[in-house]
Amino acid sequence: MATPLPAALRTHLTALRMLLVMTVLLGLAYPLLLTGVGQAAFPRQANGSLVESHGKVVGSSLIGQGFDLPKKDPGDADEPARPDPRWFQPRPSAGGYDPTATGASNLGPNSEDLVRAVRERRAAVAAFDGVAPSQVPADAVTASGSGLDPHISPAYAREQVARVARVRGLDRAAVAALVERHVQGPVAGFLGQERVNVLELNRALDALR
Amino acid sequence: MSPTLAGWLQVSVLVGALAACYRPLGDWIAHLFTSPRHLRAERALYRLTGVDGDADQRWPVYLRSVLAFSAVSVVFLYVLQRVQNHLLLSLGFPAVKADMAFNTAVSFVTNTNWQSYSGESTMGHLVQMAGLAVQNFVSAAVGIAVVAALIRGFTRSRTDRVGNFWVDLTRVVLRLLLPLAVVLGLVLVAAGAVQNLHGLTDVHTLVGGSQSITGGPVASQEVIKELGTNGGGFYNANSAHPFENPNGFTNWLEVFLILLIPVALPRTFGRMVGDNRQGYAILSVMAVFWVASVALVTFFEAQHHGAAAQAAGAATEGKEQRFGIAASALFAASTTLTSTGAVNSFHDSYTPFGGGVTIFNMMLGEIAPGGVGSGLYGMLVLAVVAVFVAGLMVGRTPEYLGKKLGAREMKFASLYILTTPAVVLVGTGLAMALPGERADMLNSGPHGFSEVLYAFTSAANNNGSAFAGITVSTPWWNTALGLAMLVGRFLPMVFVLALAGSLARQQPVPATEGTLPTHKPLFVGLLTGVVLIVVGLTYFPALALGPIAEGL
């Protein structure tokens, strides 16, 4: 008869076997089951709610994107982005709407850097949209948590209507009506808050011509 | 509907949903811990792993099983990250560097889920699924198993046996966590969370730029991350990321998942000790802190004190438009009171007092309602202290649920209470004293101090959320916070299991005229006071230097 293993070693072997079984069950079978069922039953959502324009995928309705003018020098990483006036603009993003670098600014509530950034954004948005600085809503001057916020407040969307209509030579009332059609209420009337999806709005705007 | 009304409505519906689940779920968990029958799948699993499902363990053996399982888990998860470049689905990422892999392995095994890495640029899909998500399940199950042993200490008498860790672990995973995760994970997918094995999908944006859309088995990890009060995000942005938390409904559901098991466990406790009123009393204390926290964070964020929020006109920095103030504050209060640490908005940019409340929530020791299992055992240790304090007032030997609280029991309870503050305050002191580590703070002044205090509070209490301003991916921070998480998780477990063993040995004493009733409002008030004074006040000097100095 083999000598029995010491108790401590035996416990660790049991632990290892338990972990391996759990890994197969919870680490492989479970996520693959969910992936299989998810892909079969909800393929659009499971693959990131991708949206198309003119037959090509242009992004995800859940992931915000930038609407900037092309860079003067594409090789210059430090060249500041210039918003394209023909489009509704999203919120500031700490990561430049890059899904491989998500996150927030993490600047504190009394941070001088943040206060300066907020003031500069307010002045820039007011000048860009041709409105009084006091009319610029809070979401237009603060970065989101994810850096990918696909939404803006209805107030910020309405504030941009005049500029977009003017640059595109469109009827202001038509653009304003388009914005109102894109205002989404909270889910079930009370979960979350009112918002406008910028990519969806701009796609519709593109189709308006 | 006004935002204020909507805010209160989401809380009311949440409370209603939790109340509806309290009895059935709590009773179900009690059944798991008391039923002598094994499922067929469980018997097969015991055969595979060499476990004797009918054995009953003494507390040192139970403890050794917990520690062995956790040690093996840390090593396995560490190795998995170190060799991920050789594995399938690595997405081309290199091996995780040593100090970060250690920190992450400890973080997920201790149910902390502090993340010094950025998910979308560090971890391949296989490590996320077979490494991190597995620990999301089993670390949660370990916490629930330990509280089962403690409750058995109260219910059993004249025995040295407190249950079988392997059976508790297996049953919690197979009969509680996995079925809920499968069903609710699919609900998350239906609502918009992604679930695929893709790498990056390059798209041309509307203006002709390029964007790389990330993929991954996100929903399967998201659901257990909340349900097991883990909190480690698939992506760096955690539950603020639209793929993890796409809309107001999923946000509400995720808060519900965070609270579901911790809130139901007092029922399990009441049921097992044979007096449901004991469960209601514990739940009431938890509810007092949770309601107060939700109200305070919401109030402070809505008031938007702080220079930056004033300049912007609202405290929207670090918050998502689809959630807004009320849904962000509800999430923040719930995640910091439960040791979850998932975030749907970034606490570093919260107003001074709003962010201060989130730190204080963690400092309470994650007990209201706390992490799965760990919340209830933390609260029960404080209940022991509360009974003891009441006994001192009237000058008689205190007893709780028929068990005498003597010197031995009080030693374990006291050691439990001292462990976490010692780790938090020593760690924070050390970090502030070292010039190099101090320089890692993004913000200066009291807010910088708050960041360091938050980091150690979060690690030692196994919360895992962050005032993300500090650069914590350095070897010093990875090691220091890794050690804080280990000590903050396992040393208290040692004391809890020792207490369980000590209680189980006793012959119960009958209740008399002089016994303090522990199911009445008087006891709820007493326990609330003990939590505030014994735990909360320990940290007052540290809080005064950080959030209080900043807010005044």
Side-chain angles (χ1 to χ4, degrees), chain B residues 532-552:
Chain B
L532 274 178
I533 293 166
V534 174
V535 188
L537 221 53
T538 314
Y539 295 100
F540 185 74
L543 284 170
L545 289 173
I548 298 179
E550 192 186 0
L552 293 179

Side-chain angles (χ1 to χ4, degrees), chain A residues 30 102 105 107 142 146 149, chain B residues 120 220 316-317 320-321 349:
Chain A
Y30 158 72
T102 64
S105 73
L107 291 168
T142 50
S146 61
D149 197 339
Chain B
E120 61 266 24
S220 58
T316 47
E317 180 74 23
E320 300 282 297
Q321 176 65 30
S349 300

Side-chain angles (χ1 to χ4, degrees), chain A residues 39-202:
Chain A
Q39 289 287 334
F42 314 105
R44 191 182 63 81
Q45 295 95 315
N47 289 317
S49 306
L50 300 177
V51 291
E52 295 187 352
S53 179
H54 307 298
K56 279 195 314 192
V57 176
V58 293
S60 160
S61 68
L62 293 175
I63 304 289
Q65 51 181 249
F67 292 89
D68 297 323
L69 292 165
K71 286 191 169 180
K72 288 172 185 158
D73 173 11
D76 182 6
D78 294 332
E79 183 187 321
R82 292 165 303 136
D84 188 336
R86 296 184 308 122
W87 303 100
F88 283 93
Q89 291 295 317
R91 296 178 65 180
S93 160
Y97 285 99
D98 178 0
T100 63
T102 64
S105 73
N106 291 315
L107 291 168
N110 288 314
S111 153
E112 285 167 21
D113 290 345
L114 182 56
V115 173
R116 195 178 317 118
V118 166
R119 295 216 171 105
E120 283 170 9
R121 287 168 188 157
R122 184 179 293 285
V125 170
F128 188 67
D129 290 338
V131 297
S134 61
Q135 271 182 279
V136 178
D139 61 299
V141 296
T142 50
S144 63
S146 61
L148 299 176
D149 197 339
H151 299 110
I152 53 177
S153 65
Y156 187 32
R158 288 173 192 133
E159 185 257 279
Q160 301 186 55
V161 165
R163 182 249 306 158
V164 171
R166 176 168 44 80
V167 175
R168 288 189 170 249
L170 290 168
D171 177 29
R172 193 168 156 173
V175 178
L178 191 71
V179 166
E180 294 312 316
R181 276 206 300 282
H182 279 83
V183 173
Q184 295 169 278
V187 180
F190 69 100
L191 297 174
Q193 64 179 358
E194 274 199 324
R195 64 216 186 275
V196 173
N197 187 305
V198 182
L199 178 58
E200 301 281 6
L201 175 61
N202 278 334

Side-chain angles (χ1 to χ4, degrees), chain A residues 7-8 10-28 30-39 41-50 53-54 56-60 62-70 84 86-87 91 94 96-115 118-119 121-122 136-154 186-196 198-204 206, chain B residues 1 6-7 9-10 13 45-51 61 64-65 67-69 71-73 76 118 120-121 126 129-130 133-135 137-138 166 169-170 173-174 178 181-182 185-186 189-198 200-201 203-207 211-214 216-217 219-221 223-224 235-238 240-243 246-249 252 305-314 316-325 327 344-346 348-352 442-443 447 451 467-469 550-551:
Chain A
R10 220 169 43 227
T11 311
H12 280 82
L13 278 176
T14 307
L16 182 62
R17 287 159 79 178
M18 185 62 90
L19 180 65
L20 292 177
V21 172
M22 290 293 178
T23 302
V24 171
L25 178 68
L26 306 170
L28 297 173
Y30 158 72
L32 294 179
L33 171 77
L34 241 63
T35 307
V37 177
Q39 289 287 334
F42 314 105
R44 191 182 63 81
Q45 295 95 315
N47 289 317
S49 306
L50 300 177
S53 179
H54 307 298
K56 279 195 314 192
V57 176
V58 293
S60 160
L62 293 175
I63 304 289
Q65 51 181 249
F67 292 89
D68 297 323
L69 292 165
D84 188 336
R86 296 184 308 122
W87 303 100
R91 296 178 65 180
Y97 285 99
D98 178 0
T100 63
T102 64
S105 73
N106 291 315
L107 291 168
N110 288 314
S111 153
E112 285 167 21
D113 290 345
L114 182 56
V115 173
V118 166
R119 295 216 171 105
R121 287 168 188 157
R122 184 179 293 285
V136 178
D139 61 299
V141 296
T142 50
S144 63
S146 61
L148 299 176
D149 197 339
H151 299 110
I152 53 177
S153 65
V187 180
F190 69 100
L191 297 174
Q193 64 179 358
E194 274 199 324
R195 64 216 186 275
V196 173
V198 182
L199 178 58
E200 301 281 6
L201 175 61
N202 278 334
R203 267 173 76 215
D206 201 24
Chain B
M1 192 182 303
L9 200 55
Q10 62 162 356
V13 175
L45 198 147
Y46 298 148
R47 265 199 303 281
L48 271 175
T49 54
V51 166
V61 180
R64 196 164 65 205
S65 307
L67 296 180
F69 185 69
V72 168
S73 295
F76 180 81
S118 165
E120 61 266 24
S121 57
L126 192 70
M129 290 191 320
V134 172
Q135 286 305 319
F137 278 96
V138 295
W166 305 112
L169 176 81
T170 307
V173 168
L174 291 189
L178 189 56
V182 169
L186 286 173
V189 179
V194 302
Q195 181 70 27
N196 59 54
L197 298 175
H198 307 329
L200 297 175
T201 308
V203 299
H204 282 280
T205 62
L206 262 190
V207 291
Q211 192 178 36
S212 299
I213 308 277
T214 48
S220 58
Q221 192 155 332
V223 66
I224 188 61
Y235 300 117
N236 189 46
N238 209 302
H241 196 297
F243 279 173
N247 55 52
F249 164 70
W252 179 89
H305 293 296
Q310 290 293 328
T316 47
E317 180 74 23
K319 296 192 181 72
E320 300 282 297
Q321 176 65 30
R322 63 191 179 284
F323 305 143
I325 299 288
N344 78 345
S345 50
F346 281 74
D348 207 353
S349 300
Y350 270 43
T351 61
L442 174 67
N443 293 281
H447 194 75
E451 286 177 350
F467 258 24
E550 192 186 0

Side-chain angles (χ1 to χ4, degrees), chain B residues 346-494:
Chain B
F346 281 74
H347 300 178
D348 207 353
S349 300
Y350 270 43
T351 61
F353 288 132
V357 173
T358 65
I359 301 187
F360 186 70
N361 283 347
M362 294 188 291
M363 287 174 170
L364 289 175
E366 306 297 12
I367 48 166
V372 287
S374 58
L376 181 59
Y377 67 63
M379 189 59 103
L380 289 178
V381 167
L382 284 160
V384 163
V385 174
V387 172
F388 178 73
V389 169
L392 285 184
M393 287 180 194
V394 294
R396 51 169 289 153
T397 308
E399 74 226 28
Y400 185 34
L401 301 168
K403 296 297 173 91
K404 279 208 157 71
L405 304 176
R408 186 177 162 83
E409 289 76 19
M410 290 319 296
K411 270 182 207 152
F412 292 135
S414 310
L415 285 168
Y416 176 97
I417 291 169
L418 288 174
T419 305
T420 324
V423 175
V424 172
L425 297 175
V426 170
T428 306
L430 210 56
M432 294 308 292
L434 297 171
E437 278 55 53
R438 211 164 51 221
D440 292 329
M441 304 182 312
L442 174 67
N443 293 281
S444 56
H447 194 75
F449 176 78
S450 295
E451 286 177 350
V452 173
L453 182 65
Y454 196 110
F456 276 97
T457 306
S458 175
N461 285 291
N462 301 137
N463 182 280
S465 67
F467 258 24
I470 336 170
T471 309
V472 288
S473 53
T474 66
W476 191 89
W477 281 104
N478 274 332
T479 312
L481 293 175
L483 293 176
M485 290 187 268
L486 275 179
V487 177
R489 173 76 166 176
F490 293 111
L491 205 50
M493 274 189 185
V494 173

